[in-house]
Amino acid sequence: MLNLFRFAGSTNSANKEYQFWQQGFHPIQLDNVEKQQQRLRYLHENPVRAGIVWLPHEYKYSSAYQYYNGKAEGILPIVHL
């Protein structure tokens, strides 16, 4: 993995050696429930898009399991939106 991060860092002059996150940011105002739910679905779908799991609630480090089962128990407790 370090080789991948080093390669990504070498192609961007803003880095000293490694790059882990994408450069730049695109803030989104989450000013209503619909936008909050959309962002939450997006986050829960990331492990699926990455090919790590088949379903969002199967990813151990995601709150998707708690939302799927309607429970607040898990690695970290959550407050449902």
Side-chain angles (χ1 to χ4, degrees):
M1 293 292 293
L2 280 178
N3 289 335
L4 294 173
F5 298 149
R6 184 178 292 115
F7 177 75
S10 68
T11 61
N12 188 327
S13 62
N15 299 311
K16 290 184 179 179
E17 190 171 355
Y18 301 103
Q19 181 171 327
F20 183 73
W21 301 108
Q22 289 181 339
Q23 294 292 327
F25 60 92
H26 306 283
I28 297 172
Q29 187 173 354
L30 302 177
D31 56 355
N32 62 50
V33 175
E34 183 180 328
K35 287 182 183 177
Q36 293 171 2
Q37 292 292 340
Q38 189 275 331
R39 285 289 130 183
L40 187 61
R41 281 191 303 274
Y42 173 81
L43 291 173
H44 287 167
E45 288 290 331
N46 277 338
V48 177
R49 282 190 287 278
I52 299 170
V53 294
W54 289 105
L55 299 168
H57 64 272
E58 294 174 341
Y59 188 59
K60 178 180 179 178
Y61 300 106
S62 172
S63 62
Y65 176 78
Q66 289 98 312
Y67 278 90
Y68 179 77
N69 289 317
K71 299 178 181 178
E73 60 191 44
I75 293 177
L76 294 174
I78 62 167
V79 176
H80 291 273
L81 297 175

